[in-house]
mmCIF file of all heavy atoms in Angstrom:
data_model
loop_
_atom_site.group_PDB
_atom_site.id
_atom_site.type_symbol
_atom_site.label_atom_id
_atom_site.label_comp_id
_atom_site.label_asym_id
_atom_site.label_seq_id
_atom_site.Cartn_x
_atom_site.Cartn_y
_atom_site.Cartn_z
ATOM 1 N N ARG Y 46 131.501 115.408 74.133
ATOM 2 C CA ARG Y 46 130.096 115.485 74.496
ATOM 3 C C ARG Y 46 129.565 114.060 74.571
ATOM 4 O O ARG Y 46 129.518 113.356 73.575
ATOM 5 C CB ARG Y 46 129.310 116.299 73.465
ATOM 6 C CG ARG Y 46 127.837 116.543 73.849
ATOM 7 C CD ARG Y 46 127.744 117.394 75.107
ATOM 8 N NE ARG Y 46 126.364 117.620 75.500
ATOM 9 C CZ ARG Y 46 125.699 118.748 75.256
ATOM 10 N NH1 ARG Y 46 126.290 119.728 74.621
ATOM 11 N NH2 ARG Y 46 124.453 118.886 75.648
ATOM 12 N N HIS Y 71 124.581 114.804 77.192
ATOM 13 C CA HIS Y 71 123.199 115.040 76.786
ATOM 14 C C HIS Y 71 122.465 113.735 76.980
ATOM 15 O O HIS Y 71 122.925 112.667 76.554
ATOM 16 C CB HIS Y 71 123.093 115.465 75.323
ATOM 17 C CG HIS Y 71 121.673 115.468 74.849
ATOM 18 N ND1 HIS Y 71 120.818 116.507 75.107
ATOM 19 C CD2 HIS Y 71 120.944 114.522 74.194
ATOM 20 C CE1 HIS Y 71 119.621 116.220 74.608
ATOM 21 N NE2 HIS Y 71 119.676 115.025 74.043
ATOM 22 N N ASP Y 73 118.858 111.642 76.547
ATOM 23 C CA ASP Y 73 117.502 111.418 76.070
ATOM 24 C C ASP Y 73 116.858 110.374 76.956
ATOM 25 O O ASP Y 73 117.466 109.330 77.255
ATOM 26 C CB ASP Y 73 117.502 110.918 74.630
ATOM 27 C CG ASP Y 73 117.705 112.029 73.616
ATOM 28 O OD1 ASP Y 73 117.171 113.131 73.835
ATOM 29 O OD2 ASP Y 73 118.401 111.800 72.607
ATOM 30 N N ASN Y 96 118.865 121.889 80.590
ATOM 31 C CA ASN Y 96 119.290 122.063 79.189
ATOM 32 C C ASN Y 96 119.966 120.829 78.620
ATOM 33 O O ASN Y 96 120.235 120.767 77.417
ATOM 34 C CB ASN Y 96 120.234 123.264 79.070
ATOM 35 C CG ASN Y 96 121.514 123.086 79.858
ATOM 36 O OD1 ASN Y 96 121.496 122.548 80.964
ATOM 37 N ND2 ASN Y 96 122.630 123.535 79.315
ATOM 38 N N ARG Y 97 120.240 119.840 79.461
ATOM 39 C CA ARG Y 97 120.916 118.625 78.978
ATOM 40 C C ARG Y 97 120.035 117.385 79.063
ATOM 41 O O ARG Y 97 120.496 116.281 78.791
ATOM 42 C CB ARG Y 97 122.211 118.388 79.777
ATOM 43 C CG ARG Y 97 123.229 119.480 79.613
ATOM 44 C CD ARG Y 97 124.582 119.092 80.181
ATOM 45 N NE ARG Y 97 124.617 119.058 81.638
ATOM 46 C CZ ARG Y 97 124.667 117.949 82.375
ATOM 47 N NH1 ARG Y 97 124.669 116.764 81.798
ATOM 48 N NH2 ARG Y 97 124.722 118.020 83.694
ATOM 49 N N ALA Y 99 116.221 115.575 78.066
ATOM 50 C CA ALA Y 99 115.044 115.646 77.204
ATOM 51 C C ALA Y 99 114.236 114.364 77.339
ATOM 52 O O ALA Y 99 114.776 113.266 77.186
ATOM 53 C CB ALA Y 99 115.455 115.856 75.751
ATOM 54 N N ASP Y 111 117.896 112.371 67.642
ATOM 55 C CA ASP Y 111 118.213 113.632 66.962
ATOM 56 C C ASP Y 111 118.915 114.495 67.986
ATOM 57 O O ASP Y 111 118.354 115.443 68.520
ATOM 58 C CB ASP Y 111 116.942 114.294 66.446
ATOM 59 C CG ASP Y 111 117.246 115.563 65.658
ATOM 60 O OD1 ASP Y 111 118.403 115.716 65.208
ATOM 61 O OD2 ASP Y 111 116.336 116.395 65.502
ATOM 62 N N LEU Y 112 120.151 114.144 68.287
ATOM 63 C CA LEU Y 112 120.871 114.749 69.401
ATOM 64 C C LEU Y 112 121.364 116.153 69.067
ATOM 65 O O LEU Y 112 121.896 116.387 67.984
ATOM 66 C CB LEU Y 112 122.057 113.862 69.798
ATOM 67 C CG LEU Y 112 121.691 112.424 70.167
ATOM 68 C CD1 LEU Y 112 122.944 111.605 70.382
ATOM 69 C CD2 LEU Y 112 120.833 112.398 71.410
ATOM 70 N N PRO Y 113 121.201 117.105 69.995
ATOM 71 C CA PRO Y 113 121.640 118.483 69.766
ATOM 72 C C PRO Y 113 123.136 118.665 69.993
ATOM 73 O O PRO Y 113 123.573 119.392 70.868
ATOM 74 C CB PRO Y 113 120.828 119.272 70.795
ATOM 75 C CG PRO Y 113 120.673 118.317 71.927
ATOM 76 C CD PRO Y 113 120.533 116.956 71.292
ATOM 77 N N ILE Y 114 123.944 117.945 69.203
ATOM 78 C CA ILE Y 114 125.398 118.042 69.321
ATOM 79 C C ILE Y 114 125.990 118.203 67.935
ATOM 80 O O ILE Y 114 125.383 117.807 66.939
ATOM 81 C CB ILE Y 114 126.000 116.793 70.006
ATOM 82 C CG1 ILE Y 114 125.643 115.534 69.217
ATOM 83 C CG2 ILE Y 114 125.530 116.677 71.436
ATOM 84 C CD1 ILE Y 114 126.269 114.284 69.755
ATOM 85 N N PRO Y 115 127.178 118.805 67.819
ATOM 86 C CA PRO Y 115 127.799 118.962 66.502
ATOM 87 C C PRO Y 115 128.056 117.609 65.851
ATOM 88 O O PRO Y 115 128.486 116.657 66.500
ATOM 89 C CB PRO Y 115 129.121 119.673 66.831
ATOM 90 C CG PRO Y 115 128.910 120.301 68.157
ATOM 91 C CD PRO Y 115 127.972 119.394 68.894
ATOM 92 N N LEU Y 122 123.468 109.329 64.188
ATOM 93 C CA LEU Y 122 123.848 109.634 65.556
ATOM 94 C C LEU Y 122 123.681 108.399 66.432
ATOM 95 O O LEU Y 122 122.703 107.666 66.319
ATOM 96 C CB LEU Y 122 122.991 110.778 66.089
ATOM 97 C CG LEU Y 122 123.230 112.132 65.416
ATOM 98 C CD1 LEU Y 122 122.167 113.121 65.839
ATOM 99 C CD2 LEU Y 122 124.602 112.667 65.768
#
Side-chain angles (χ1 to χ4, degrees):
R46 186 64 181 259
H71 170 81
D73 281 322
N96 63 321
R97 297 191 288 107
D111 184 19
L112 303 173
I114 58 176
L122 293 170

